[in-house]
Amino acid sequence: MAKIIGGVGVSHSPTIGFAYDAKKQNDPAWKPIFEGFEPVKSWFNEKKPDVLIYIFNDHITSFFFDHYSAFALGIDSEYSTADEGGGARKLPPISGDLKFSQHIATSLMTDEFDMSFFQNKPLDHGFFSPMSVLLERKDEQWPCSIVPLQVGVLQFPIPTAKRCYKLGQAIKRAVESYPEDINVAIVSTGGLSHQVHGERCGFNNVEWDHEFLQRLADDPEGLAEITHKEYAELSGMEGAEIIMWLVMRGALENKVKTVHSSYYLPSMTAISTIVLESTENSPIDVKQHLTRMEHQLKDVETIQGTYPFTVALSQDRFRINKYLHDLVIPEHRELFLNDPELSFTQAGLNEQEKTLMRNLDWRGLIHYGAIFFGLEKLGAVVGVSNLHIYAAMRGESLEDFMKTRNTQVSYSVSSNTNSIDKESLNEDSIRELIESDQ
Protein backbone atom coordinates (compact mmCIF):
# COMPACT_ATOMS: atom_id res chain seq x y z
CA MET A 1 0.00 0.00 0.00
CA ALA A 2 1.04 3.60 -0.53
CA LYS A 3 2.15 5.57 2.50
CA ILE A 4 2.55 9.22 3.39
CA ILE A 5 6.12 9.88 4.49
CA GLY A 6 5.54 13.46 5.61
CA GLY A 7 4.26 16.88 4.78
CA VAL A 8 5.99 20.02 3.54
CA GLY A 9 4.77 23.58 3.66
CA VAL A 10 6.59 26.13 1.54
CA SER A 11 6.07 29.63 0.23
CA HIS A 12 5.80 29.92 -3.53
CA SER A 13 6.75 33.56 -4.12
CA PRO A 14 8.11 34.15 -7.66
CA THR A 15 11.12 35.82 -6.03
CA ILE A 16 12.38 32.34 -5.10
CA GLY A 17 12.61 31.34 -8.73
CA PHE A 18 14.05 34.72 -9.66
CA ALA A 19 16.83 34.42 -7.08
CA TYR A 20 17.59 30.85 -8.17
CA ASP A 21 17.75 31.65 -11.88
CA ALA A 22 19.88 34.76 -11.22
CA LYS A 23 22.29 32.66 -9.11
CA LYS A 24 21.77 34.76 -6.00
CA GLN A 25 22.50 31.87 -3.63
CA ASN A 26 25.38 33.75 -2.00
CA ASP A 27 23.93 37.24 -2.23
CA PRO A 28 23.39 38.51 1.34
CA ALA A 29 19.82 39.57 0.52
CA TRP A 30 18.83 36.15 -0.84
CA LYS A 31 21.15 33.72 0.91
CA PRO A 32 18.79 33.12 3.89
CA ILE A 33 16.14 31.77 1.51
CA PHE A 34 18.48 29.06 0.22
CA GLU A 35 19.80 28.31 3.69
CA GLY A 36 16.24 27.75 4.88
CA PHE A 37 15.47 25.60 1.85
CA GLU A 38 18.56 23.39 2.13
CA PRO A 39 17.24 21.11 4.94
CA VAL A 40 14.01 20.59 2.98
CA LYS A 41 16.02 19.70 -0.10
CA SER A 42 18.04 17.24 2.02
CA TRP A 43 14.80 15.76 3.37
CA PHE A 44 13.54 15.13 -0.17
CA ASN A 45 16.89 13.57 -1.11
CA GLU A 46 16.82 11.31 1.94
CA LYS A 47 13.16 10.26 1.81
CA LYS A 48 13.02 9.92 -1.98
CA PRO A 49 9.26 10.27 -2.44
CA ASP A 50 7.91 8.60 -5.55
CA VAL A 51 5.09 11.12 -5.90
CA LEU A 52 4.24 14.54 -4.53
CA ILE A 53 0.63 15.46 -4.02
CA TYR A 54 1.15 19.15 -4.61
CA ILE A 55 -1.39 21.68 -3.33
CA PHE A 56 -1.08 25.16 -4.82
CA ASN A 57 -3.03 28.02 -6.31
CA ASP A 58 -2.65 29.19 -9.87
CA HIS A 59 -2.21 32.94 -10.33
CA ILE A 60 -4.64 33.52 -13.24
CA THR A 61 -2.22 31.82 -15.59
CA SER A 62 -3.80 28.50 -16.56
CA PHE A 63 -7.07 29.03 -14.67
CA PHE A 64 -9.26 32.07 -15.33
CA PHE A 65 -12.64 33.26 -14.11
CA ASP A 66 -14.54 31.96 -17.11
CA HIS A 67 -14.39 28.61 -15.28
CA TYR A 68 -13.04 28.80 -11.75
CA SER A 69 -13.14 25.76 -9.48
CA ALA A 70 -12.69 25.33 -5.75
CA PHE A 71 -10.63 22.15 -6.12
CA ALA A 72 -9.10 21.07 -9.46
CA LEU A 73 -7.06 17.86 -9.58
CA GLY A 74 -4.46 17.36 -12.28
CA ILE A 75 -4.84 14.05 -14.12
CA ASP A 76 -2.21 14.53 -16.83
CA SER A 77 0.96 12.65 -17.72
CA GLU A 78 3.15 15.75 -17.79
CA TYR A 79 3.18 19.37 -16.60
CA SER A 80 5.30 22.06 -18.23
CA THR A 81 6.24 25.55 -17.10
CA ALA A 82 3.71 28.25 -17.82
CA ASP A 83 4.41 31.54 -19.53
CA GLU A 84 3.29 34.18 -17.03
CA GLY A 85 3.89 37.10 -19.35
CA GLY A 86 7.65 37.24 -19.79
CA GLY A 87 8.27 33.81 -21.27
CA ALA A 88 8.36 30.42 -19.58
CA ARG A 89 11.29 29.50 -17.33
CA LYS A 90 13.72 27.10 -18.94
CA LEU A 91 12.85 24.09 -16.82
CA PRO A 92 11.97 20.59 -18.00
CA PRO A 93 8.38 19.39 -17.63
CA ILE A 94 7.63 17.13 -14.67
CA SER A 95 5.79 13.83 -14.99
CA GLY A 96 2.33 13.19 -13.64
CA ASP A 97 1.23 9.83 -12.23
CA LEU A 98 -1.81 8.81 -14.28
CA LYS A 99 -2.89 5.72 -12.37
CA PHE A 100 -2.42 7.33 -8.96
CA SER A 101 -4.30 10.47 -10.01
CA GLN A 102 -7.22 8.32 -11.21
CA HIS A 103 -7.36 6.64 -7.82
CA ILE A 104 -7.23 9.94 -5.96
CA ALA A 105 -9.97 11.38 -8.18
CA THR A 106 -12.32 8.49 -7.44
CA SER A 107 -11.47 8.46 -3.74
CA LEU A 108 -12.07 12.18 -3.25
CA MET A 109 -15.37 12.06 -5.12
CA THR A 110 -16.37 9.05 -3.01
CA ASP A 111 -15.70 11.20 0.04
CA GLU A 112 -18.08 13.78 -1.46
CA PHE A 113 -15.52 16.37 -2.51
CA ASP A 114 -16.90 17.81 -5.74
CA MET A 115 -13.69 17.91 -7.73
CA SER A 116 -12.94 19.23 -11.16
CA PHE A 117 -10.12 17.73 -13.21
CA PHE A 118 -7.60 19.30 -15.56
CA GLN A 119 -5.26 18.27 -18.35
CA ASN A 120 -3.14 20.11 -20.90
CA LYS A 121 -2.46 23.03 -18.56
CA PRO A 122 1.03 24.25 -17.63
CA LEU A 123 1.89 25.14 -14.03
CA ASP A 124 3.03 28.60 -12.99
CA HIS A 125 5.30 29.77 -10.17
CA GLY A 126 2.93 28.19 -7.65
CA PHE A 127 4.80 24.96 -8.44
CA PHE A 128 8.00 25.75 -10.28
CA SER A 129 9.27 28.62 -8.10
CA PRO A 130 9.92 26.62 -4.91
CA MET A 131 10.32 23.17 -6.42
CA SER A 132 13.03 24.25 -8.86
CA VAL A 133 15.10 24.85 -5.71
CA LEU A 134 13.91 21.95 -3.54
CA LEU A 135 13.94 19.04 -5.99
CA GLU A 136 17.40 18.10 -7.17
CA ARG A 137 17.43 17.31 -10.90
CA LYS A 138 19.98 15.07 -12.58
CA ASP A 139 20.42 15.33 -16.33
CA GLU A 140 17.37 17.63 -16.38
CA GLN A 141 15.18 14.87 -14.91
CA TRP A 142 12.96 15.52 -11.92
CA PRO A 143 13.39 12.91 -9.15
CA CYS A 144 9.68 12.16 -8.74
CA SER A 145 6.30 12.66 -10.32
CA ILE A 146 3.43 14.85 -9.08
CA VAL A 147 -0.31 14.96 -8.74
CA PRO A 148 -1.13 18.69 -8.59
CA LEU A 149 -4.22 19.97 -6.80
CA GLN A 150 -5.16 23.57 -7.57
CA VAL A 151 -7.21 25.39 -4.92
CA GLY A 152 -9.25 28.38 -6.05
CA VAL A 153 -8.41 30.99 -3.41
CA LEU A 154 -8.53 34.15 -5.53
CA GLN A 155 -12.25 34.64 -6.16
CA PHE A 156 -14.60 34.59 -3.21
CA PRO A 157 -16.38 32.57 -2.01
CA ILE A 158 -13.48 30.15 -1.54
CA PRO A 159 -13.20 26.93 0.47
CA THR A 160 -13.10 27.44 4.22
CA ALA A 161 -10.03 26.61 6.26
CA LYS A 162 -11.94 23.71 7.78
CA ARG A 163 -12.85 22.37 4.32
CA CYS A 164 -9.17 22.44 3.35
CA TYR A 165 -8.30 20.53 6.52
CA LYS A 166 -11.00 17.93 5.77
CA LEU A 167 -9.72 17.64 2.19
CA GLY A 168 -6.35 16.68 3.63
CA GLN A 169 -8.01 13.97 5.71
CA ALA A 170 -9.68 12.67 2.55
CA ILE A 171 -6.32 12.69 0.75
CA LYS A 172 -4.93 10.51 3.55
CA ARG A 173 -7.66 7.94 2.84
CA ALA A 174 -6.96 8.17 -0.88
CA VAL A 175 -3.25 7.55 -0.45
CA GLU A 176 -3.52 4.76 2.10
CA SER A 177 -6.05 2.87 -0.02
CA TYR A 178 -3.81 2.90 -3.12
CA PRO A 179 -2.57 -0.66 -3.69
CA GLU A 180 0.92 0.08 -4.99
CA ASP A 181 3.89 0.41 -2.63
CA ILE A 182 4.87 4.03 -3.21
CA ASN A 183 6.07 6.78 -0.90
CA VAL A 184 4.05 9.97 -1.07
CA ALA A 185 4.89 13.42 0.26
CA ILE A 186 2.15 16.02 0.67
CA VAL A 187 3.31 19.52 -0.25
CA SER A 188 1.24 22.64 0.36
CA THR A 189 2.31 26.08 -0.79
CA GLY A 190 1.46 29.75 -0.46
CA GLY A 191 1.97 32.53 2.03
CA LEU A 192 3.06 33.37 4.52
CA SER A 193 1.92 36.90 5.37
CA HIS A 194 1.74 39.33 2.47
CA GLN A 195 -0.61 41.66 0.64
CA VAL A 196 0.05 42.87 -2.90
CA HIS A 197 -2.94 45.11 -3.61
CA GLY A 198 -4.60 48.24 -2.27
CA GLU A 199 -3.46 50.74 0.31
CA ARG A 200 -2.47 47.89 2.61
CA CYS A 201 0.01 46.62 0.01
CA GLY A 202 3.25 45.52 1.67
CA PHE A 203 1.60 44.31 4.88
CA ASN A 204 3.41 41.61 6.86
CA ASN A 205 2.88 40.12 10.32
CA VAL A 206 5.98 38.32 11.60
CA GLU A 207 4.47 37.47 14.98
CA TRP A 208 1.43 35.82 13.39
CA ASP A 209 3.58 33.93 10.88
CA HIS A 210 5.52 32.25 13.70
CA GLU A 211 2.31 31.53 15.60
CA PHE A 212 0.80 29.94 12.50
CA LEU A 213 3.81 27.66 12.01
CA GLN A 214 3.65 26.51 15.63
CA ARG A 215 -0.11 25.96 15.56
CA LEU A 216 0.07 24.15 12.23
CA ALA A 217 1.91 21.38 14.06
CA ASP A 218 0.10 21.55 17.40
CA ASP A 219 -3.35 23.06 16.80
CA PRO A 220 -4.51 22.52 13.22
CA GLU A 221 -8.15 22.20 14.28
CA GLY A 222 -7.96 25.63 15.87
CA LEU A 223 -6.53 27.08 12.65
CA ALA A 224 -9.36 25.40 10.76
CA GLU A 225 -11.93 27.48 12.67
CA ILE A 226 -10.48 30.85 11.62
CA THR A 227 -12.54 32.80 9.07
CA HIS A 228 -11.28 34.25 5.80
CA LYS A 229 -11.66 37.76 7.19
CA GLU A 230 -9.58 36.88 10.25
CA TYR A 231 -6.89 35.27 8.09
CA ALA A 232 -6.82 38.36 5.86
CA GLU A 233 -6.54 40.62 8.89
CA LEU A 234 -3.75 38.56 10.42
CA SER A 235 -1.71 37.71 7.34
CA GLY A 236 -2.83 40.03 4.55
CA MET A 237 -5.43 39.31 1.90
CA GLU A 238 -3.11 37.29 -0.32
CA GLY A 239 -1.44 35.74 2.73
CA ALA A 240 -4.80 34.17 3.55
CA GLU A 241 -3.89 31.49 0.98
CA ILE A 242 -2.09 29.73 3.85
CA ILE A 243 -5.34 27.83 4.38
CA MET A 244 -3.85 25.51 1.73
CA TRP A 245 -1.23 24.43 4.30
CA LEU A 246 -4.10 22.88 6.23
CA VAL A 247 -4.64 20.43 3.35
CA MET A 248 -1.15 19.06 3.97
CA ARG A 249 -1.68 19.03 7.73
CA GLY A 250 -5.00 17.19 7.44
CA ALA A 251 -3.27 14.39 5.49
CA LEU A 252 -0.99 13.66 8.46
CA GLU A 253 -1.78 12.04 11.79
CA ASN A 254 -3.06 14.02 14.77
CA LYS A 255 0.36 14.04 16.40
CA VAL A 256 3.35 15.20 14.37
CA LYS A 257 6.90 16.35 14.92
CA THR A 258 8.49 19.36 13.27
CA VAL A 259 11.59 18.12 11.47
CA HIS A 260 12.52 21.54 10.12
CA SER A 261 11.18 25.07 9.99
CA SER A 262 12.58 28.27 8.49
CA TYR A 263 11.42 31.87 8.10
CA TYR A 264 12.74 34.89 6.24
CA LEU A 265 11.16 38.18 5.18
CA PRO A 266 13.23 39.66 2.36
CA SER A 267 10.73 42.02 0.81
CA MET A 268 7.00 41.64 0.13
CA THR A 269 6.34 38.05 1.14
CA ALA A 270 7.37 36.13 4.21
CA ILE A 271 9.18 33.07 2.83
CA SER A 272 8.92 30.01 5.02
CA THR A 273 9.30 26.25 5.06
CA ILE A 274 8.15 23.53 7.41
CA VAL A 275 8.59 19.75 7.32
CA LEU A 276 6.27 17.62 9.45
CA GLU A 277 6.29 13.88 10.07
CA SER A 278 3.60 11.86 11.81
CA THR A 279 4.54 10.34 15.16
CA GLU A 280 1.64 7.88 15.34
CA ASN A 281 -0.13 5.53 12.97
CA SER A 282 -3.90 5.22 12.67
CA PRO A 283 -4.45 3.27 9.44
CA ILE A 284 -7.76 3.36 7.64
CA ASP A 285 -9.90 0.34 6.84
CA VAL A 286 -8.63 -0.09 3.29
CA LYS A 287 -11.09 -2.80 2.28
CA GLN A 288 -14.04 -0.74 3.46
CA HIS A 289 -12.81 2.38 1.65
CA LEU A 290 -12.19 0.52 -1.61
CA THR A 291 -15.66 -1.00 -1.39
CA ARG A 292 -17.10 2.51 -1.04
CA MET A 293 -15.08 3.69 -4.04
CA GLU A 294 -16.37 0.84 -6.21
CA HIS A 295 -19.98 1.10 -5.08
CA GLN A 296 -21.34 3.67 -7.55
CA LEU A 297 -20.16 1.96 -10.76
CA LYS A 298 -19.97 -1.63 -9.56
CA ASP A 299 -20.90 -4.03 -12.40
CA VAL A 300 -21.70 -1.16 -14.77
CA GLU A 301 -20.11 -3.21 -17.57
CA THR A 302 -23.08 -5.58 -17.37
CA ILE A 303 -25.32 -2.88 -18.89
CA GLN A 304 -25.19 -3.85 -22.54
CA GLY A 305 -24.00 -1.20 -24.97
CA THR A 306 -23.10 1.28 -22.20
CA TYR A 307 -19.68 2.91 -21.82
CA PRO A 308 -19.11 5.34 -18.91
CA PHE A 309 -16.73 8.20 -19.69
CA THR A 310 -14.20 8.05 -16.85
CA VAL A 311 -11.12 10.08 -15.90
CA ALA A 312 -9.03 7.16 -17.14
CA LEU A 313 -10.72 7.34 -20.52
CA SER A 314 -10.41 11.12 -20.52
CA GLN A 315 -6.66 10.80 -19.97
CA ASP A 316 -6.18 8.06 -22.53
CA ARG A 317 -8.33 9.61 -25.28
CA PHE A 318 -7.71 13.29 -24.61
CA ARG A 319 -6.37 13.96 -28.14
CA ILE A 320 -9.40 12.75 -30.09
CA ASN A 321 -11.84 14.40 -27.69
CA LYS A 322 -9.97 17.69 -27.87
CA TYR A 323 -10.08 17.46 -31.66
CA LEU A 324 -13.85 16.99 -31.56
CA HIS A 325 -14.33 19.72 -28.96
CA ASP A 326 -12.31 22.19 -31.02
CA LEU A 327 -14.85 21.95 -33.83
CA VAL A 328 -16.55 24.81 -31.98
CA ILE A 329 -13.60 26.99 -33.13
CA PRO A 330 -14.34 28.39 -36.63
CA GLU A 331 -10.73 28.13 -37.88
CA HIS A 332 -10.42 24.50 -36.81
CA ARG A 333 -13.81 23.71 -38.27
CA GLU A 334 -12.96 25.29 -41.64
CA LEU A 335 -9.67 23.42 -41.91
CA PHE A 336 -11.47 20.16 -41.15
CA LEU A 337 -14.07 20.83 -43.85
CA ASN A 338 -11.59 22.02 -46.49
CA ASP A 339 -8.64 19.71 -45.86
CA PRO A 340 -9.46 17.00 -43.32
CA GLU A 341 -6.18 15.13 -43.80
CA LEU A 342 -4.14 18.23 -43.00
CA SER A 343 -6.41 18.87 -40.04
CA PHE A 344 -5.83 15.35 -38.73
CA THR A 345 -2.07 15.64 -39.14
CA GLN A 346 -1.82 19.01 -37.42
CA ALA A 347 -3.79 17.63 -34.47
CA GLY A 348 -1.48 14.63 -34.20
CA LEU A 349 -4.22 12.05 -34.68
CA ASN A 350 -2.96 8.49 -35.04
CA GLU A 351 -3.95 6.22 -37.92
CA GLN A 352 -6.78 4.57 -36.01
CA GLU A 353 -8.24 7.95 -35.10
CA LYS A 354 -7.89 9.20 -38.66
CA THR A 355 -9.72 6.16 -40.00
CA LEU A 356 -12.55 6.55 -37.50
CA MET A 357 -12.92 10.18 -38.51
CA ARG A 358 -12.70 9.52 -42.25
CA ASN A 359 -15.45 6.94 -42.04
CA LEU A 360 -17.60 8.86 -39.60
CA ASP A 361 -17.67 5.65 -37.61
CA TRP A 362 -19.94 6.88 -34.84
CA ARG A 363 -20.14 3.63 -32.92
CA GLY A 364 -16.45 2.93 -33.47
CA LEU A 365 -15.59 6.33 -32.04
CA ILE A 366 -17.63 5.58 -28.92
CA HIS A 367 -15.92 2.22 -28.52
CA TYR A 368 -12.57 3.95 -28.97
CA GLY A 369 -13.26 6.44 -26.17
CA ALA A 370 -14.78 9.53 -27.77
CA ILE A 371 -17.51 11.15 -25.72
CA PHE A 372 -20.89 11.43 -27.46
CA PHE A 373 -21.09 15.21 -27.10
CA GLY A 374 -18.00 15.54 -29.28
CA LEU A 375 -19.67 13.39 -31.92
CA GLU A 376 -22.71 15.64 -31.70
CA LYS A 377 -20.51 18.57 -32.70
CA LEU A 378 -18.98 16.55 -35.54
CA GLY A 379 -22.45 15.72 -36.81
CA ALA A 380 -23.43 19.37 -36.77
CA VAL A 381 -20.33 20.30 -38.79
CA VAL A 382 -20.79 17.68 -41.52
CA GLY A 383 -24.57 18.08 -41.68
CA VAL A 384 -25.60 14.85 -39.98
CA SER A 385 -28.51 14.98 -37.59
CA ASN A 386 -28.44 13.49 -34.11
CA LEU A 387 -30.99 10.93 -35.27
CA HIS A 388 -28.61 9.60 -37.91
CA ILE A 389 -25.95 9.18 -35.21
CA TYR A 390 -28.38 7.45 -32.86
CA ALA A 391 -29.38 5.03 -35.60
CA ALA A 392 -25.75 4.27 -36.40
CA MET A 393 -25.08 3.58 -32.70
CA ARG A 394 -27.67 0.82 -32.82
CA GLY A 395 -26.59 -0.49 -36.22
CA GLU A 396 -29.95 0.46 -37.73
CA SER A 397 -31.10 2.48 -40.70
CA LEU A 398 -32.57 5.89 -39.92
CA GLU A 399 -35.96 4.62 -41.07
CA ASP A 400 -35.90 1.65 -38.70
CA PHE A 401 -34.67 3.76 -35.79
CA MET A 402 -37.41 6.36 -36.33
CA LYS A 403 -40.02 3.62 -36.03
CA THR A 404 -38.95 3.24 -32.39
CA ARG A 405 -39.56 6.96 -31.64
CA ASN A 406 -42.86 8.56 -30.64
CA THR A 407 -42.37 11.49 -33.03
CA GLN A 408 -40.70 11.65 -36.44
CA VAL A 409 -38.44 14.66 -35.87
CA SER A 410 -34.85 15.29 -36.87
CA TYR A 411 -32.57 17.73 -35.09
CA SER A 412 -28.98 18.74 -34.41
CA VAL A 413 -27.09 21.05 -32.05
CA SER A 414 -26.47 23.28 -35.08
CA SER A 415 -29.22 25.52 -36.37
CA ASN A 416 -27.54 25.40 -39.78
CA THR A 417 -27.57 21.63 -40.23
CA ASN A 418 -29.13 20.26 -43.39
CA SER A 419 -30.21 16.70 -42.74
CA ILE A 420 -28.52 14.08 -44.90
CA ASP A 421 -30.62 10.97 -45.36
CA LYS A 422 -28.14 8.12 -45.70
CA GLU A 423 -28.74 4.63 -44.39
CA SER A 424 -25.10 3.59 -44.08
CA LEU A 425 -23.10 6.52 -42.74
CA ASN A 426 -20.16 4.37 -41.71
CA GLU A 427 -19.30 3.60 -45.32
CA ASP A 428 -19.15 7.24 -46.46
CA SER A 429 -16.01 9.33 -46.26
CA ILE A 430 -16.03 12.81 -44.81
CA ARG A 431 -15.22 14.32 -48.18
CA GLU A 432 -18.12 12.51 -49.88
CA LEU A 433 -20.51 13.71 -47.21
CA ILE A 434 -19.33 17.26 -47.53
CA GLU A 435 -19.50 17.19 -51.33
CA SER A 436 -22.96 15.64 -51.31
CA ASP A 437 -24.18 18.29 -48.89
CA GLN A 438 -22.84 21.03 -51.14
Side-chain angles (χ1 to χ4, degrees):
M1 293 294 178
K3 69 175 181 178
I4 295 173
I5 59 175
V8 174
V10 61
S11 305
H12 62 213
S13 168
T15 57
I16 300 166
F18 159 77
Y20 177 80
D21 291 346
K23 303 186 185 308
K24 300 286 187 180
Q25 286 86 340
N26 294 313
D27 187 302
W30 302 105
K31 188 176 181 180
I33 295 176
F34 298 100
E35 290 176 338
F37 275 34
E38 194 59 37
V40 187
K41 183 178 180 180
S42 297
W43 186 85
F44 279 125
N45 287 337
E46 176 191 348
K47 297 296 182 179
K48 294 180 170 51
D50 299 295
V51 187
L52 307 183
I53 297 179
Y54 193 89
I55 297 94
F56 73 110
N57 69 284
D58 175 85
H59 301 82
I60 311 304
T61 306
S62 291
F63 296 82
F64 191 59
F65 302 125
D66 55 350
H67 189 160
Y68 198 66
S69 301
F71 300 122
L73 185 73
I75 57 169
D76 212 339
S77 60
E78 185 177 271
Y79 303 92
S80 60
T81 53
D83 185 336
E84 299 185 59
R89 290 179 68 195
K90 291 178 173 55
L91 293 168
I94 187 166
S95 297
D97 189 316
L98 293 179
K99 189 176 178 182
F100 189 38
S101 65
Q102 293 168 19
H103 176 86
I104 294 171
T106 303
S107 182
L108 293 181
M109 293 293 279
T110 298
D111 276 339
E112 299 180 354
F113 279 86
D114 299 324
M115 308 297 297
S116 65
F117 308 105
F118 70 91
Q119 301 180 70
N120 201 34
K121 288 185 181 294
L123 305 181
D124 70 4
H125 70 265
F127 173 80
F128 282 103
S129 186
M131 302 319 288
S132 62
V133 180
L134 294 176
L135 294 181
E136 194 168 275
R137 300 177 301 284
K138 294 182 179 179
D139 300 323
E140 290 302 291
Q141 295 294 314
W142 296 90
C144 59
S145 58
I146 65 166
V147 177
L149 200 167
Q150 201 278 148
V151 184
V153 295
L154 302 185
Q155 175 181 269
F156 287 83
I158 68 174
T160 64
K162 179 176 285 188
R163 191 63 173 162
C164 289
Y165 185 58
K166 289 182 176 179
L167 176 60
Q169 294 173 324
I171 288 173
K172 179 179 186 293
R173 291 188 286 273
V175 174
E176 292 183 355
S177 60
Y178 188 61
E180 294 189 12
D181 292 328
I182 60 172
N183 292 326
V184 180
I186 315 296
V187 182
S188 281
T189 67
L192 291 182
S193 68
H194 66 289
Q195 184 158 322
V196 295
H197 80 274
E199 290 75 11
R200 204 181 182 218
C201 182
F203 173 83
N204 300 107
N205 187 343
V206 175
E207 182 179 355
W208 161 250
D209 288 339
H210 286 288
E211 179 184 339
F212 176 83
L213 292 171
Q214 178 267 316
R215 291 179 66 183
L216 185 69
D218 302 334
D219 182 31
E221 292 187 356
L223 292 177
E225 296 297 332
I226 298 176
T227 68
H228 297 313
K229 184 264 183 183
E230 291 169 324
Y231 270 113
E233 187 173 34
L234 288 165
S235 59
M237 191 72 249
E238 283 72 37
E241 68 189 5
I242 54 174
I243 61 172
M244 293 187 294
W245 291 41
L246 287 168
V247 180
M248 174 270 287
R249 183 62 182 89
L252 305 180
E253 300 287 354
N254 290 333
K255 293 183 179 180
V256 300
K257 65 178 179 181
T258 301
V259 176
H260 165 74
S261 181
S262 68
Y263 183 87
Y264 180 55
L265 179 57
S267 180
M268 292 291 291
T269 305
I271 297 175
S272 179
T273 65
I274 193 168
V275 178
L276 301 174
E277 293 179 358
S278 297
T279 58
E280 59 184 13
N281 182 27
S282 55
I284 67 165
D285 187 328
V286 173
K287 184 177 180 180
Q288 181 185 64
H289 188 68
L290 289 174
T291 299
R292 288 182 59 232
M293 287 175 59
E294 296 165 357
H295 177 68
Q296 295 295 332
L297 283 178
K298 184 175 176 57
D299 297 327
V300 69
E301 67 277 1
T302 63
I303 306 174
Q304 187 175 5
T306 302
Y307 312 95
F309 191 79
T310 64
V311 290
L313 204 54
S314 179
Q315 291 170 338
D316 197 41
R317 299 299 189 233
F318 182 82
R319 181 178 54 228
I320 187 67
N321 283 299
K322 186 175 190 306
Y323 183 91
L324 293 168
H325 168 265
D326 286 352
L327 290 171
V328 302
I329 301 172
E331 294 78 10
H332 176 66
R333 186 163 64 236
E334 289 303 313
L335 179 59
F336 164 69
L337 289 170
N338 295 324
D339 193 342
E341 294 301 324
L342 178 60
S343 175
F344 299 157
T345 300
Q346 288 188 356
L349 300 192
N350 62 32
E351 286 305 314
Q352 184 179 2
E353 293 163 343
K354 290 178 182 178
T355 299
L356 289 167
M357 289 293 295
R358 290 184 191 115
N359 294 336
L360 292 181
D361 186 350
W362 308 106
R363 188 160 64 178
L365 281 160
I366 287 291
H367 290 172
Y368 182 73
I371 192 167
F372 169 78
F373 302 99
L375 305 189
E376 191 174 48
K377 292 171 177 58
L378 174 60
V381 171
V382 299
V384 175
S385 76
N386 282 37
L387 281 300
H388 284 88
I389 301 173
Y390 302 149
M393 292 289 177
R394 287 164 53 136
E396 298 175 353
S397 68
L398 178 61
E399 181 182 5
D400 287 341
F401 179 72
M402 293 297 274
K403 291 175 183 178
T404 69
R405 304 300 96 190
N406 292 327
T407 57
Q408 305 300 300
V409 295
S410 180
Y411 57 85
S412 165
V413 292
S414 172
S415 60
N416 298 320
T417 296
N418 296 317
S419 178
I420 298 177
D421 187 9
K422 292 183 178 289
E423 293 188 355
S424 185
L425 294 175
N426 294 344
E427 298 176 0
D428 296 308
S429 71
I430 289 173
R431 190 173 297 280
E432 287 171 344
L433 275 166
I434 295 169
E435 289 174 353
S436 67
D437 194 34
Q438 294 172 340

